[in-house]
Amino acid sequence: MIIVMQTKAPDAQIEAVIHRIEDLGLKAHVSRGEFKTVIGAIGDETLLRPEFFAALTGVESVMPIMKPYKLASRDFHAEDTVIPIGRYEAGGRTLAVIAGPCSIESEKQFRDTALAVRQAGAVMLRGGAFKPRTSPYSFQGLGEEGLKILQAVGGEVGLPTVTEIVDVRDLDLVVRYADVLQVGARNMQNFRLLTEIGHFDKPVLLKRNPAATIEELLMSAEYILSEGNHQVVLCERGVRGFDKATRYLLDLSAVPVIQGVSHLPIIVDPSHATGQRDLVAPMALAAIAAGAHGIMVEVHPHPDKAMSDGPQQLTPEAFKVMMQGLRPIAEAVGRCLQGAKATT
Amino acid sequence: MIIVMQTKAPDAQIEAVIHRIEDLGLKAHVSRGEFKTVIGAIGDETLLRPEFFAALTGVESVMPIMKPYKLASRDFHAEDTVIPIGRYEAGGRTLAVIAGPCSIESEKQFRDTALAVRQAGAVMLRGGAFKPRTSPYSFQGLGEEGLKILQAVGGEVGLPTVTEIVDVRDLDLVVRYADVLQVGARNMQNFRLLTEIGHFDKPVLLKRNPAATIEELLMSAEYILSEGNHQVVLCERGVRGFDKATRYLLDLSAVPVIQGVSHLPIIVDPSHATGQRDLVAPMALAAIAAGAHGIMVEVHPHPDKAMSDGPQQLTPEAFKVMMQGLRPIAEAVGRCLQGAKATT
Amino acid sequence: MIIVMQTKAPDAQIEAVIHRIEDLGLKAHVSRGEFKTVIGAIGDETLLRPEFFAALTGVESVMPIMKPYKLASRDFHAEDTVIPIGRYEAGGRTLAVIAGPCSIESEKQFRDTALAVRQAGAVMLRGGAFKPRTSPYSFQGLGEEGLKILQAVGGEVGLPTVTEIVDVRDLDLVVRYADVLQVGARNMQNFRLLTEIGHFDKPVLLKRNPAATIEELLMSAEYILSEGNHQVVLCERGVRGFDKATRYLLDLSAVPVIQGVSHLPIIVDPSHATGQRDLVAPMALAAIAAGAHGIMVEVHPHPDKAMSDGPQQLTPEAFKVMMQGLRPIAEAVGRCLQGAKATT
Amino acid sequence: MIIVMQTKAPDAQIEAVIHRIEDLGLKAHVSRGEFKTVIGAIGDETLLRPEFFAALTGVESVMPIMKPYKLASRDFHAEDTVIPIGRYEAGGRTLAVIAGPCSIESEKQFRDTALAVRQAGAVMLRGGAFKPRTSPYSFQGLGEEGLKILQAVGGEVGLPTVTEIVDVRDLDLVVRYADVLQVGARNMQNFRLLTEIGHFDKPVLLKRNPAATIEELLMSAEYILSEGNHQVVLCERGVRGFDKATRYLLDLSAVPVIQGVSHLPIIVDPSHATGQRDLVAPMALAAIAAGAHGIMVEVHPHPDKAMSDGPQQLTPEAFKVMMQGLRPIAEAVGRCLQGAKATT
């Protein structure tokens, strides 16, 4: 950690920084320049927090040398992590397409969607049973009834299932019914939920909060990893932007950035990011071209009658067209869609 | 609700919108312009969601006429809401200053802070027992031990207490010990937590998430209000900005904006917003000048030794100076600090 | 245009809106709901500005029905515009790759780069002679000397050239030497410059300002188009984001959004957006997958010795690898790179 | 400057950084940690740019120690700069209120406004003659005709005048008529314009671009200062935010941040920031409470008939009420309004 003192900081302030470093068991290296004194803390930086120094009088800025996350870091684990999910996987060279409706509304609606998306090449099923809705007056999901449909239909069509967990008290319930636990964007920093999920042996899909930096997303992954659950798949789904032309602003550069610093798989959700049906396919293709390990797309047999997020859900036909566009892109970047053979 | 059709949308698409409006029990009013057809839905707009129409083919945009929140709206409740909190209050013409350390670290630390801030004019005590920390390796708070200190010291010094709830399972516990439940910025859209809090007869301090619009903040308040708990105090604490000169970007214009559309009290937290001690007092003064109903400020007897957020915590001396600066500002805007007499 | 009045706006305020509409030569259509009165202005909306009504007392909000731009709109010109640039073009089904150094530093540096990028498949040459630099102490470009190099080398290698214009007084000069005038992000709303450029018969590359909405970008294009110059190519180069992991935040969804509302070609600059060499290729591929009409990429023979923007410039080798990756992506989306034959 | 190498960067890469530092005439200090090697460049950091090192292979990050601006820095000039403007001033302990219409529309409109705002306590007059408008179809200002009115009325009422310069070619003209040159937000990085303005002996009001960091604003000031014109007044007028409840997001924390690092005066424009009449007064008061050296406010005799920005312009009556609210706030922070005596 590098501590830069304010111009003309008196010796007593410099000494205070040195003592703080030494108290924490590290060595201080002092470099007095013409204007500024710079102090390096030599040793195990994981014992330090920038705020330990920023709070001291006379300190101008504090610069960490190491990343604040460890288990999520590529420094810790150099190879790409590949997470088995049923007979499919997330991470590595093959691509996972997850599809399904925003909300599970009925057994028929979910089965129709599941059959259609499997037919078109999806290898995992998504469907919300507990829905985090901005308005208390909006449809909140079918609850356990929805989970039962998820599990039943997932079994029928032979695809692993993904569903969101919105309440730490539902954890045992959701774990029982679903194959992958989704932590939604709004719960990315619900640290208690992350900690509890860390105790399960279950893949997790962790979505980035619209106000979260990539580093904060990785710190949230670290909460899960540090409790022992190493099956974390990250998901970019758009950050808050100033242009209302799209619902959120999809940050595709997060894909190569994350792949540079972390070994965890990263997929992209173009449906929530754009909020508009017409933009889903172009952004799905772009995500794969940027190197994502997969995509998660919302599909509904009748988007115009959907109980939530209708405008962004694809019809089964549009999903099929998108999948046809996706295959050559995957090949162009030296990847292939999982389950590709089954669907031709 | 106004639905604008795409240029040259065919009649069938226009008809589909009209049918949807009528199915929902409203009347459609169609206005065919030279380029665009515009359809108004006449009747109870609370039965509609924009997405019901945005999902239909040929619809270019959907514009609600009514706000999506009701109970939080000034249309519903024209007068300012004033919420009694112990022998003090939030809202109305008098100002509440809430102060205390980021985290409760020990009984001595909390009592020292409490005595100092009461002496300087604070009328409520804050102190974190459960801390939501970005890093799993950071101090997470003393838990119930901290709540006990909060309650004991609050009773000793005669000030109501505020503490954050981070887990819906801790609700009974926190309700037992604290006078005001704080919902932190990261839980602003933890809707289950909001719903449960709505069942209690307890004041709530609801902080704005850094990525939340003002409308979304009010929708989160609506979750609590609609369950029957009408004691919601809003808190602006900075949104995500692009300039790293401050931790977050304090949105003081949110104060008059909220006061225009809602009857709920709105206070400001300059400590978390700026993340820097030197900026707290100017922003506290500005908040009161902008019309806020109060402020919440972090104070620590030894910020340089704080276990969390040291850089933004004021010393008791700095807090006292800030309070001295605050009184004339309050008077200048025709307000007065609560408890002002007790502290002169 | 739809004008929504505040709840319980008195009749006199409603009348004032009606008069304003009629004064402007349109008809007013009034719809009185239970809570709100909504007034539609029927007629030629181009005669109106939202501010004409938002300034009136009692008006809550104003919603335009038409886009504020005309000539840039697909409503005005349904077919994609294709702009010839030398023997290449921008827009349509073929893709243009523009490459070259950030700054022209010497004839040798520019020729070396030009030969390398032509060899790898670029069809236009970029190179800065006038550089807008954040710091007055940074290299500001070679000026006319640079323009001469640009023209000479462009002629030698047979590729059209693109260079930035930063001062309206340089317009005649730059027009003389370059084939395409680039308006940089910082000048996107230098309306005088746009107006003057509108008088020339010369292709323009108009870059999006980091704080500009897509609508504002199209309004800036409208400045040029409305003066008679219809050869405008748009360029997305990243908006301001909160995450410092990348220099700017590349908004690839702008590509399909723009293609939905405008007929103008839209290309992507992944170099300035990311600011990091390693992210350029993934984002270039993603841009083409998203449907962009081309990309503009910075290439330097020795990026580590570049006088500006070294960290984001590709070596000729890296550029060649990127181009090899680009071809199958182009094919996958049914496009092909211009000049493809020449380079195989 | 501190250069952090990537984990396990080989010696050759470390050597390359050392050579680069030595080539530039500085000394390298190498610190090899367990994971990372950190290299400090000891000497005159103004000879370096971060990009000189960031472009080198194996470099993970580069951290400057010194600010990139010099003349604008408080390190260079410790005392607050006070800039005389006619018989008033900007900076120091007294406050300047600048008021007037968005655009000068006629001599009568400008004179009526000038008399009213002088009466209410304004000490400088603003009025636009050249208007930068998002739309080419909007009113663009009266041009030289407007400048003449500005000068004539300014002389009549005895107040110095401020007007925007939008084209470097108009500089001689505007300098002739106006007392203060305003550089608008959209031209904050029009570096040629800044450089030319630097050659004049004329006060400058430099507005922050909505996408600019505080550091970038100070770098733009540096352009003017470094050419010899030291009379730069900074102006915060809102940054781009994600919440459409206000036009821009007023960053009042910029006021104390700038005062910490720079000696230049900083004023606030609440009119453009909020875009709404009702928010102007609360934000003006907050600006003064935060320590601003003044405010600039738009006033129009008939805002509902204004040719630009009607919704944000105050009536003379509303301006008078705001001024009455401002005086006690100024006193509360130990300041006083300039010209206060003249207006009581």
Side-chain angles (χ1 to χ4, degrees):
Chain A
M1 197 162 281
I2 306 285
I3 296 108
V4 181
M5 302 301 295
Q6 289 168 0
T7 304
K8 298 172 195 161
D11 282 355
Q13 293 176 354
I14 294 169
E15 289 301 314
V17 172
I18 297 171
H19 286 152
R20 172 63 55 96
I21 292 171
E22 293 174 352
D23 283 356
L24 291 160
L26 287 84
K27 278 194 194 165
H29 177 277
V30 181
S31 166
R32 290 174 197 265
E34 193 177 347
F35 296 98
K36 305 268 187 191
T37 294
V38 176
I39 306 169
I42 317 289
D44 182 0
E45 192 173 298
T46 63
L47 300 172
L48 310 179
R49 302 270 160 272
E51 62 191 44
F52 291 168
F53 299 99
L56 295 178
T57 313
V59 169
E60 183 168 294
S61 59
V62 181
M63 303 157 175
I65 300 302
M66 304 296 292
K67 304 282 184 203
Y69 45 85
K70 286 179 268 186
L71 306 178
S73 163
R74 210 174 262 288
D75 284 346
F76 171 82
H77 186 289
E79 298 301 307
D80 277 9
T81 284
V82 179
I83 298 168
I85 297 173
R87 53 201 187 98
Y88 300 102
E89 64 193 25
R93 301 304 301 170
T94 60
L95 304 177
V97 174
I98 309 172
C102 177
S103 301
I104 297 172
E105 299 168 10
S106 72
E107 189 159 337
K108 174 166 171 34
Q109 169 251 18
F110 192 62
R111 184 181 294 110
D112 287 354
T113 312
L115 289 169
V117 301
R118 186 188 64 174
Q119 173 66 21
V123 297
M124 295 176 215
L125 277 186
R126 67 150 285 152
F130 299 105
K131 298 301 304 173
R133 304 303 300 279
T134 304
S135 168
Y137 310 121
S138 293
F139 175 61
Q140 307 273 326
L142 294 183
E144 186 169 359
E145 169 71 13
L147 292 177
K148 285 179 180 167
I149 296 172
L150 180 81
Q151 188 183 46
V153 171
E156 263 180 62
V157 303
L159 296 183
T161 58
V162 185
T163 202
E164 184 168 353
I165 167 94
V166 299
D167 186 331
V168 69
R169 296 170 304 182
D170 297 335
L171 202 39
D172 287 323
L173 190 73
V174 176
V175 162
R176 204 151 63 231
Y177 288 109
D179 297 304
V180 180
L181 298 175
Q182 178 182 321
V183 177
R186 293 180 178 95
N187 280 307
M188 191 202 89
Q189 293 191 315
N190 184 337
F191 299 116
R192 287 294 190 82
L193 179 62
L194 302 178
T195 300
E196 296 287 356
I197 286 175
H199 300 147
F200 286 85
D201 175 23
K202 197 90 180 182
V204 183
L205 183 64
L206 177 64
K207 298 186 92 172
R208 181 181 182 187
N209 180 272
T213 62
I214 289 169
E215 190 169 291
E216 288 169 338
L217 172 62
L218 291 168
M219 291 305 286
S220 286
E222 191 84 6
Y223 262 92
I224 301 170
L225 299 170
S226 66
E227 297 293 331
N229 184 347
H230 291 260
Q231 304 167 67
V232 178
V233 182
L234 306 172
C235 181
E236 160 63 31
R237 45 77 76 206
V239 296
R240 200 95 216 197
F242 59 81
D243 194 339
K244 299 309 164 197
T246 51
R247 196 176 180 190
Y248 291 95
L249 175 46
L250 187 63
D251 177 9
L252 281 184
S253 56
V255 171
V257 168
I258 286 174
Q259 290 173 341
V261 296
S262 178
H263 54 91
L264 296 173
I266 164 81
I267 70 165
V268 170
D269 172 352
S271 302
H272 282 88
T274 63
Q276 293 174 51
R277 206 177 294 152
D278 292 349
L279 304 177
V280 170
M283 289 301 103
L285 270 60
I288 298 304
H293 293 105
I295 53 168
M296 180 156 74
V297 172
E298 289 191 351
V299 180
H300 191 288
H302 304 288
D304 56 347
K305 293 182 185 158
M307 298 176 78
S308 59
D309 281 350
Q312 75 198 31
Q313 301 200 57
L314 298 183
T315 59
E317 292 67 35
F319 178 71
K320 193 174 163 191
V321 171
M322 187 203 80
M323 290 298 290
Q324 284 161 353
L326 220 52
R327 278 190 194 91
I329 295 280
E331 279 166 31
V333 291
R335 306 287 189 89
C336 73
L337 297 181
Q338 290 172 39
K341 271 162 287 181
T343 62
T344 49
Chain B
M1 196 162 281
I2 307 286
I3 296 105
V4 180
M5 303 301 294
Q6 290 167 0
T7 304
K8 296 170 195 161
D11 283 353
Q13 293 175 354
I14 295 169
E15 290 300 316
V17 172
I18 296 170
H19 287 152
R20 172 64 55 96
I21 291 171
E22 293 174 350
D23 283 355
L24 290 159
L26 287 84
K27 278 193 192 167
H29 176 278
V30 182
S31 166
R32 290 172 197 265
E34 194 177 349
F35 297 98
K36 304 271 185 188
T37 294
V38 176
I39 306 168
I42 316 289
D44 182 2
E45 193 174 300
T46 63
L47 300 172
L48 310 180
R49 302 269 161 272
E51 61 191 46
F52 290 168
F53 299 98
L56 295 178
T57 312
V59 170
E60 183 170 292
S61 59
V62 181
M63 305 158 174
I65 300 301
M66 303 298 290
K67 305 280 183 203
Y69 45 86
K70 285 179 269 185
L71 305 178
S73 162
R74 211 176 262 286
D75 284 346
F76 170 80
H77 186 290
E79 298 301 306
D80 276 9
T81 285
V82 180
I83 298 167
I85 299 173
R87 51 199 188 100
Y88 300 103
E89 62 192 29
R93 300 302 302 168
T94 61
L95 304 178
V97 174
I98 309 172
C102 178
S103 300
I104 297 173
E105 299 169 8
S106 72
E107 189 160 337
K108 175 167 169 33
Q109 170 252 14
F110 193 61
R111 183 181 295 111
D112 288 354
T113 311
L115 289 169
V117 301
R118 187 189 61 175
Q119 174 66 21
V123 297
M124 294 175 213
L125 278 185
R126 66 150 286 151
F130 299 105
K131 299 300 306 172
R133 304 302 301 277
T134 305
S135 168
Y137 310 121
S138 294
F139 175 63
Q140 307 274 323
L142 294 183
E144 186 170 1
E145 170 71 12
L147 293 177
K148 286 179 181 167
I149 295 172
L150 178 82
Q151 187 183 46
V153 171
E156 263 179 63
V157 304
L159 295 183
T161 57
V162 184
T163 202
E164 183 168 353
I165 168 93
V166 300
D167 186 330
V168 68
R169 295 170 306 181
D170 297 336
L171 202 40
D172 288 322
L173 190 73
V174 176
V175 163
R176 205 152 64 233
Y177 287 109
D179 298 304
V180 180
L181 298 174
Q182 179 182 319
V183 178
R186 292 180 178 95
N187 279 308
M188 191 201 89
Q189 292 190 316
N190 184 336
F191 299 117
R192 286 296 188 84
L193 179 62
L194 301 178
T195 299
E196 296 287 355
I197 284 175
H199 300 146
F200 286 86
D201 175 23
K202 198 89 179 181
V204 184
L205 184 63
L206 177 65
K207 299 186 92 173
R208 181 181 180 187
N209 180 272
T213 60
I214 289 168
E215 189 168 293
E216 287 169 339
L217 172 61
L218 291 168
M219 290 307 285
S220 286
E222 191 85 5
Y223 262 92
I224 300 171
L225 299 170
S226 66
E227 295 294 331
N229 184 345
H230 291 260
Q231 305 166 68
V232 178
V233 182
L234 307 171
C235 181
E236 160 63 31
R237 47 74 77 204
V239 296
R240 200 94 216 196
F242 58 79
D243 193 338
K244 298 309 163 197
T246 50
R247 196 177 181 190
Y248 291 95
L249 175 46
L250 186 63
D251 177 10
L252 282 184
S253 56
V255 171
V257 168
I258 286 174
Q259 289 174 343
V261 296
S262 177
H263 54 92
L264 296 173
I266 164 82
I267 70 167
V268 170
D269 173 350
S271 303
H272 281 88
T274 63
Q276 293 174 51
R277 207 177 294 152
D278 294 349
L279 304 178
V280 170
M283 289 301 102
L285 271 59
I288 298 303
H293 294 104
I295 53 168
M296 181 156 73
V297 172
E298 289 192 352
V299 180
H300 192 288
H302 304 287
D304 56 346
K305 293 182 183 158
M307 298 176 78
S308 58
D309 279 350
Q312 76 198 31
Q313 302 200 55
L314 297 183
T315 59
E317 292 69 36
F319 178 70
K320 194 175 161 189
V321 170
M322 187 202 81
M323 289 299 288
Q324 285 162 354
L326 220 53
R327 279 190 194 90
I329 295 280
E331 281 166 30
V333 290
R335 306 286 189 91
C336 73
L337 297 181
Q338 289 171 40
K341 272 161 284 180
T343 62
T344 50
Chain C
M1 196 162 284
I2 306 286
I3 296 107
V4 180
M5 303 301 294
Q6 290 167 0
T7 303
K8 297 170 196 161
D11 282 354
Q13 293 176 353
I14 294 169
E15 290 301 315
V17 172
I18 296 170
H19 287 151
R20 172 64 54 96
I21 291 171
E22 292 172 352
D23 282 356
L24 292 159
L26 287 85
K27 277 195 195 164
H29 176 278
V30 182
S31 166
R32 292 175 196 264
E34 192 178 349
F35 297 99
K36 306 269 186 190
T37 294
V38 176
I39 306 169
I42 315 291
D44 183 359
E45 192 173 299
T46 63
L47 301 172
L48 310 180
R49 300 272 162 270
E51 62 192 46
F52 291 169
F53 299 99
L56 295 179
T57 313
V59 170
E60 183 169 292
S61 59
V62 181
M63 304 157 175
I65 300 301
M66 303 297 290
K67 304 282 184 203
Y69 44 86
K70 285 178 269 186
L71 306 177
S73 162
R74 210 175 264 286
D75 284 345
F76 171 81
H77 186 290
E79 297 303 305
D80 277 7
T81 284
V82 179
I83 298 167
I85 298 174
R87 51 197 188 102
Y88 300 102
E89 63 192 26
R93 300 304 301 169
T94 59
L95 303 178
V97 175
I98 308 171
C102 178
S103 300
I104 297 173
E105 299 168 10
S106 72
E107 188 158 337
K108 176 169 170 32
Q109 170 251 17
F110 193 62
R111 184 183 294 110
D112 287 355
T113 311
L115 290 169
V117 302
R118 186 188 61 174
Q119 174 67 22
V123 295
M124 295 173 213
L125 277 186
R126 64 151 286 152
F130 300 105
K131 298 300 304 172
R133 304 301 301 277
T134 304
S135 169
Y137 310 121
S138 293
F139 175 63
Q140 308 274 325
L142 295 182
E144 186 169 0
E145 169 72 13
L147 292 177
K148 287 178 179 167
I149 296 173
L150 179 82
Q151 187 183 46
V153 172
E156 264 180 62
V157 304
L159 295 184
T161 58
V162 184
T163 201
E164 184 168 353
I165 168 93
V166 300
D167 187 329
V168 69
R169 298 169 303 182
D170 297 336
L171 204 38
D172 287 323
L173 191 72
V174 177
V175 162
R176 204 152 64 232
Y177 287 109
D179 299 303
V180 180
L181 298 174
Q182 179 182 319
V183 178
R186 292 180 179 95
N187 280 309
M188 189 200 90
Q189 293 191 316
N190 185 335
F191 299 116
R192 285 294 189 86
L193 179 61
L194 301 178
T195 299
E196 296 288 356
I197 286 176
H199 301 146
F200 285 86
D201 175 24
K202 197 90 176 180
V204 184
L205 183 63
L206 177 64
K207 298 185 91 173
R208 181 181 180 186
N209 180 273
T213 61
I214 289 169
E215 191 170 290
E216 287 168 338
L217 172 61
L218 291 168
M219 291 305 287
S220 286
E222 191 85 5
Y223 262 92
I224 301 170
L225 300 171
S226 65
E227 296 294 332
N229 184 345
H230 290 261
Q231 306 168 67
V232 178
V233 182
L234 306 172
C235 181
E236 160 64 30
R237 46 76 77 206
V239 296
R240 200 93 216 198
F242 59 81
D243 194 338
K244 299 309 164 195
T246 50
R247 196 177 182 190
Y248 291 97
L249 175 47
L250 186 63
D251 177 11
L252 282 183
S253 55
V255 171
V257 167
I258 286 173
Q259 290 173 341
V261 295
S262 178
H263 54 91
L264 296 172
I266 164 83
I267 69 165
V268 171
D269 172 350
S271 303
H272 282 89
T274 63
Q276 292 173 52
R277 205 177 295 152
D278 294 349
L279 304 179
V280 171
M283 288 302 101
L285 271 59
I288 298 304
H293 294 105
I295 53 168
M296 179 156 74
V297 172
E298 290 192 353
V299 180
H300 192 286
H302 304 287
D304 55 347
K305 293 182 185 158
M307 298 177 78
S308 59
D309 280 350
Q312 77 198 30
Q313 301 199 56
L314 297 183
T315 59
E317 293 68 36
F319 178 71
K320 193 175 162 189
V321 170
M322 188 203 79
M323 289 299 289
Q324 286 161 352
L326 221 53
R327 277 188 195 90
I329 295 279
E331 281 166 31
V333 291
R335 306 286 190 91
C336 73
L337 296 181
Q338 289 171 39
K341 272 161 284 180
T343 61
T344 50
Chain D
M1 198 161 278
I2 307 285
I3 297 106
V4 180
M5 304 299 296
Q6 289 167 0
T7 304
K8 295 171 195 162
D11 282 353
Q13 294 176 353
I14 294 169
E15 290 301 315
V17 172
I18 295 169
H19 286 151
R20 170 65 54 97
I21 291 171
E22 292 173 353
D23 283 356
L24 291 159
L26 287 84
K27 278 194 193 166
H29 176 280
V30 181
S31 166
R32 290 173 196 264
E34 194 177 347
F35 296 99
K36 305 271 185 187
T37 294
V38 176
I39 305 169
I42 316 288
D44 182 1
E45 193 173 299
T46 62
L47 301 172
L48 310 179
R49 300 271 162 271
E51 61 191 46
F52 290 168
F53 300 99
L56 295 178
T57 312
V59 170
E60 183 169 292
S61 59
V62 181
M63 303 158 177
I65 301 300
M66 304 298 291
K67 303 282 183 202
Y69 45 87
K70 285 178 268 188
L71 306 177
S73 162
R74 211 175 262 287
D75 284 346
F76 170 81
H77 186 291
E79 297 302 306
D80 277 9
T81 284
V82 179
I83 298 167
I85 298 173
R87 51 196 188 102
Y88 300 101
E89 62 191 28
R93 301 301 303 168
T94 60
L95 304 178
V97 174
I98 308 171
C102 178
S103 300
I104 297 173
E105 300 168 9
S106 72
E107 190 160 336
K108 175 167 169 34
Q109 170 250 16
F110 193 61
R111 183 181 295 112
D112 288 353
T113 312
L115 290 169
V117 301
R118 186 188 63 174
Q119 173 67 21
V123 297
M124 294 175 212
L125 278 185
R126 66 150 285 151
F130 299 105
K131 299 301 304 172
R133 304 303 300 278
T134 304
S135 168
Y137 310 121
S138 294
F139 175 61
Q140 308 273 325
L142 294 183
E144 186 170 0
E145 167 73 13
L147 292 177
K148 287 179 180 167
I149 296 173
L150 179 81
Q151 188 183 46
V153 172
E156 262 179 62
V157 303
L159 296 183
T161 57
V162 185
T163 202
E164 183 167 354
I165 167 93
V166 300
D167 187 330
V168 70
R169 297 170 304 181
D170 297 335
L171 203 38
D172 288 320
L173 189 73
V174 177
V175 161
R176 205 151 64 234
Y177 288 108
D179 298 303
V180 180
L181 298 174
Q182 178 182 318
V183 178
R186 293 181 178 94
N187 279 308
M188 191 201 87
Q189 293 191 316
N190 185 336
F191 300 117
R192 286 295 188 84
L193 179 62
L194 301 178
T195 298
E196 296 288 355
I197 285 175
H199 299 146
F200 286 85
D201 175 23
K202 196 89 177 183
V204 184
L205 183 64
L206 177 64
K207 299 186 92 172
R208 180 181 182 187
N209 180 273
T213 62
I214 289 169
E215 190 168 292
E216 288 168 339
L217 172 62
L218 291 168
M219 291 306 286
S220 286
E222 192 84 5
Y223 262 92
I224 300 170
L225 299 170
S226 66
E227 296 293 333
N229 184 346
H230 290 261
Q231 306 167 67
V232 178
V233 182
L234 306 171
C235 181
E236 160 64 29
R237 46 76 77 207
V239 296
R240 200 96 216 195
F242 59 80
D243 193 339
K244 298 309 163 198
T246 51
R247 196 175 180 192
Y248 291 95
L249 175 47
L250 186 64
D251 178 10
L252 282 184
S253 56
V255 171
V257 167
I258 286 173
Q259 290 174 342
V261 296
S262 178
H263 54 91
L264 296 172
I266 165 82
I267 69 165
V268 170
D269 173 351
S271 303
H272 281 89
T274 63
Q276 292 173 50
R277 206 177 294 152
D278 294 349
L279 304 178
V280 171
M283 289 301 102
L285 272 59
I288 297 304
H293 293 105
I295 52 169
M296 181 156 73
V297 172
E298 290 192 351
V299 180
H300 192 287
H302 302 289
D304 55 346
K305 293 181 184 159
M307 297 176 78
S308 59
D309 280 350
Q312 77 198 28
Q313 301 200 56
L314 297 183
T315 59
E317 293 67 36
F319 179 69
K320 193 174 163 190
V321 170
M322 188 203 79
M323 289 299 288
Q324 285 161 353
L326 221 52
R327 279 190 194 92
I329 295 279
E331 281 166 31
V333 292
R335 306 286 190 90
C336 72
L337 297 182
Q338 289 171 41
K341 271 161 285 179
T343 62
T344 51

